[in-house]
Amino acid sequence: MKKLINSVDNVVSEALLGMEAAHPDRLRIDHANRVVLRKDGPVSGKVGLVSGGGSGHEPMHGGFVGMGMLDAACAGEVFTSPVPDQIMAATHAVDGGAGVLHIVKNYTGDVMNFEMAAEMAAAERGIRVEAVVVDDDVAVTDSLYTAGRRGVGTTVLLEKIVGAAAEAGRDLDALTEIATRVNGQGRSMGLALTSCTVPAAGKPTFELADDEMELGIGIHGEPGRERLPMASAAQAAQMLVEPVLADLDFTGSPVICFVNGMGGTPLLEQYLMYGEIAKVLQAKGVTVARSLVGSYITSLEMAGLSLTLLKADEDMLTLWDAPVNTPGLRWGC
Amino acid sequence: MADFAATISQNAALLTDLDRQIGDADHGSNMNRGMQAVIALDRDFPDAASYLKKAGMTLVSTVGGASGPLYGTFLLRFAGALTGQTTHDADGMARAWRAGLEGVISRGKAGLGDKTMVDALQPAVEAMEAETSDLAVCLTSGLAAGEQGRDATTPMVARKGRASYLGERSAGHQDPGATSIVLLLEAAARTLA
């Protein structure tokens, strides 16, 4: 394992120290609880948005804390969900009197820890907590007999859109409604060219030969749904777009198209892939109204790419365009 | 708990490696972090139940992932069943494990055959309930049944937890959660039997 770290045990806490040093204008950090907080929070009368998950997906979620997006993010160990204590500390810290919305990705551990924290926050302080569970990954067969789909790229779009709605003063019920709607209309699919190495494990999570790629990966280095011979960018674009379109009809309304690097893929390849994906979408009659290209929800140093499409409406597009000022996403201000 | 912590520590790499194959490569390191926090607890507790309750809360607060809430809930319910008991016989032991199992099932919503810790824990509890005349026999038969349950997870296709995202490809790998449950059963048999 070749990583710029001091010790395996301190990776997350030392990264948070650096994050605070880099962004003192926007962030403050509760180091004891490993919670990244909006510097000017809690905002009185505004619903607090709390997300979080395992570390190793930066900039998600800590990089999305700030005006127009999250109020707090809980940083778990690498690829491990945060514990209820952290989530409770975040929930208490962002409560501005209007309730708190938890944005949770659909992984068994994340769901359980957020549920326990919500129960405790309600019991201890009477804070009203609602939750939306993001489950947008079409690579996973969703049936009564699985844990359901994973939550991946739609999380970023949801945090931006719901963050803008919270900033505009919408109440907890309205935010829960739009969050549920965004999740219902977002779909993702990913592929990997290499594995990543979790610091605590010390070796790659899976082995991939030079001439192979893994289709349908999640964001934790877990293997995907099938292993295929390495394809060209044009072929790979088809492999990402087709399962997404097969799952939901994206024609007839504006679409936000998010091409995401997994951490080890250069922007050169991401843009090349965006071009290929845009061609396929155009041929299929899908109208892209907004796009986002970059590494926003990563899996350590994994090389690979994910595609997220969100079937948007005018309300979502207006919220998408609203100003945001976070270390990981900033426009309009 | 000290014996379990030592066993987890010795087997952390194995557990993480099993998890690397079908999950996200953190079960061993997470459990080790939690159990190190448990053995660092103040030893001054009035009885086993209050100690195990604190141990359960400590796991919830330090492990993360699914293992934290599941092992934490297991110990909290186990401790709840022991509350008020002064002597520990096989019958009480089986009842405490049963209470822990029910807690795991209600928190994780997994059942037999889902390729999770329940596949080792439930047969172990049932074997203990069938052998309540002698504490040592109760625990050793629970261990034997748990080992069989753990081995039976290898061919299963996961339906719960992170491995379920792999579908058919999760078959052929022993479940890390069922593996750590057997380590707990081993520690119990070694220290309590």
Side-chain angles (χ1 to χ4, degrees), chain A residues 102 142 176:
Chain A
H102 286 172
D142 183 19
T176 308

Side-chain angles (χ1 to χ4, degrees), chain A residues 77 79-81 83-85 106-109 112-113 116 145-148 203-205 214 220 222-226, chain B residues 16-17 20-21 23-26 29-30 33 60-66 69-70 107 159 161-162 164-166 169:
Chain A
E77 289 292 327
F79 293 177
T80 299
S81 73
V83 300
D85 307 45
N106 190 32
Y107 297 94
T108 310
M112 275 194 251
N113 283 284
M116 291 184 91
Y145 306 107
T146 71
K203 51 184 166 181
T205 302
E214 186 92 15
H220 299 92
E222 67 269 53
R225 71 171 174 187
E226 56 182 326
Chain B
T16 290
D17 207 48
R20 195 173 63 84
Q21 293 164 30
D24 54 353
D26 63 4
S29 52
N30 287 347
R33 183 174 60 250
V60 170
S61 299
T62 55
V63 175
L70 291 172
R107 178 65 62 196
R159 294 190 298 216
R162 186 83 33 98
S164 73
Y165 303 129
L166 285 184
R169 290 174 75 188

Side-chain angles (χ1 to χ4, degrees), chain A residues 120-132:
Chain A
M120 292 191 259
E124 277 185 17
R125 304 244 181 135
I127 300 174
R128 191 176 157 220
V129 180
E130 294 291 333
V132 58

Side-chain angles (χ1 to χ4, degrees), chain A residues 157 256-261 265-275 277 288 290-296 305-307 320 328-329 331:
Chain A
L157 309 183
I256 300 178
C257 177
F258 169 31
V259 168
N260 173 62
T265 294
L267 207 45
L268 179 77
E269 290 170 43
Q270 293 180 35
Y271 275 123
L272 192 155
M273 280 295 289
Y274 182 84
I277 287 166
V288 176
R290 303 287 186 277
S291 61
L292 181 68
V293 180
S295 299
Y296 292 101
L305 202 82
S306 66
L307 167 68
W320 177 255
L329 205 63
W331 60 65

Side-chain angles (χ1 to χ4, degrees), chain B:
Chain B
M1 282 293 111
D3 184 282
F4 181 50
T7 308
I8 284 287
S9 177
Q10 283 155 17
N11 288 282
L14 166 76
L15 292 175
T16 290
D17 207 48
L18 288 172
D19 195 22
R20 195 173 63 84
Q21 293 164 30
I22 56 170
D24 54 353
D26 63 4
H27 187 50
S29 52
N30 287 347
M31 288 298 293
N32 196 32
R33 183 174 60 250
M35 288 310 299
Q36 291 305 313
V38 167
I39 56 171
L41 288 175
D42 183 2
R43 292 186 175 271
D44 195 16
F45 288 92
D47 52 32
S50 48
Y51 169 64
L52 291 174
K53 195 173 166 202
K54 180 71 181 170
M57 283 310 298
T58 303
L59 290 183
V60 170
S61 299
T62 55
V63 175
S67 313
L70 291 172
Y71 268 94
T73 302
F74 174 83
L75 283 183
L76 289 170
R77 298 287 185 91
F78 190 101
L82 289 184
T83 303
Q85 288 189 38
T86 47
T87 57
H88 300 298
D89 57 8
D91 193 40
M93 182 62 66
R95 265 186 283 132
W97 281 84
R98 165 62 67 180
L101 167 67
E102 301 293 342
V104 166
I105 290 172
S106 70
R107 178 65 62 196
K109 298 170 187 76
L112 269 188
D114 287 344
K115 197 181 179 94
T116 71
M117 62 198 282
V118 172
D119 289 306
L121 189 53
Q122 186 166 324
V125 171
E126 285 165 3
M128 286 183 208
E129 286 168 339
E131 298 281 357
T132 52
S133 54
D134 179 86
L135 184 59
V137 176
C138 170
L139 285 165
T140 49
S141 57
L143 171 58
E147 285 170 340
Q148 278 184 13
R150 171 201 63 196
D151 295 344
T153 62
T154 301
M156 287 177 186
V157 174
R159 294 190 298 216
K160 292 284 174 186
R162 186 83 33 98
S164 73
Y165 303 129
L166 285 184
E168 299 290 334
R169 290 174 75 188
S170 62
H173 301 280
Q174 183 175 305
D175 182 62
T179 306
S180 60
I181 279 291
V182 170
L183 299 179
L184 181 65
L185 289 162
E186 282 174 8
R190 262 195 306 268
T191 57
L192 303 174

Side-chain angles (χ1 to χ4, degrees), chain A residues 55-295:
Chain A
S55 295
H57 306 306
E58 292 70 24
M60 189 181 77
H61 295 276
F64 299 142
V65 173
M67 194 282 289
M69 221 161 158
L70 298 176
D71 293 270
C74 309
E77 289 292 327
V78 174
F79 293 177
T80 299
S81 73
V83 300
D85 307 45
Q86 291 178 276
I87 302 164
M88 260 206 301
T91 303
H92 293 165
V94 306
D95 178 34
V100 175
L101 180 67
H102 286 172
I103 299 167
V104 187
K105 296 183 300 309
N106 190 32
Y107 297 94
T108 310
D110 291 73
V111 171
M112 275 194 251
N113 283 284
F114 271 94
E115 273 177 7
M116 291 184 91
E119 283 169 25
M120 292 191 259
E124 277 185 17
R125 304 244 181 135
I127 300 174
R128 191 176 157 220
V129 180
E130 294 291 333
V132 58
V133 177
V134 184
D135 57 349
D136 61 321
D137 187 356
V138 302
V140 177
T141 312
D142 183 19
S143 78
L144 289 174
Y145 306 107
T146 71
R149 291 175 166 179
R150 295 178 290 222
V152 285
T154 298
T155 317
V156 177
L157 309 183
L158 189 149
E159 288 175 0
K160 168 68 188 84
I161 289 169
V162 178
E167 207 70 48
R170 294 193 197 177
D171 68 16
L172 184 55
D173 289 331
L175 295 181
T176 308
E177 186 275 323
I178 191 169
T180 306
R181 203 146 42 91
V182 169
N183 179 53
Q185 295 180 193
R187 297 288 188 280
S188 297
M189 180 76 182
L191 62 82
L193 308 184
T194 66
S195 175
C196 58
T197 298
V198 176
K203 51 184 166 181
T205 302
F206 57 92
E207 309 290 340
L208 260 182
D210 278 350
D211 57 353
E212 289 178 327
M213 57 191 262
E214 186 92 15
L215 187 65
I217 45 109
I219 54 171
H220 299 92
E222 67 269 53
R225 71 171 174 187
E226 56 182 326
R227 191 158 291 189
L228 298 167
M230 190 57 211
S232 69
Q235 290 166 326
Q238 294 274 1
M239 289 176 199
L240 292 177
V241 172
E242 277 170 7
V244 170
L245 297 190
D247 202 80
L248 187 70
D249 180 8
F250 282 90
T251 57
S253 75
V255 165
I256 300 178
C257 177
F258 169 31
V259 168
N260 173 62
M262 301 303 297
T265 294
L267 207 45
L268 179 77
E269 290 170 43
Q270 293 180 35
Y271 275 123
L272 192 155
M273 280 295 289
Y274 182 84
E276 294 292 343
I277 287 166
K279 266 192 274 182
V280 181
L281 290 175
Q282 192 179 16
K284 304 269 186 186
V286 176
T287 309
V288 176
R290 303 287 186 277
S291 61
L292 181 68
V293 180
S295 299

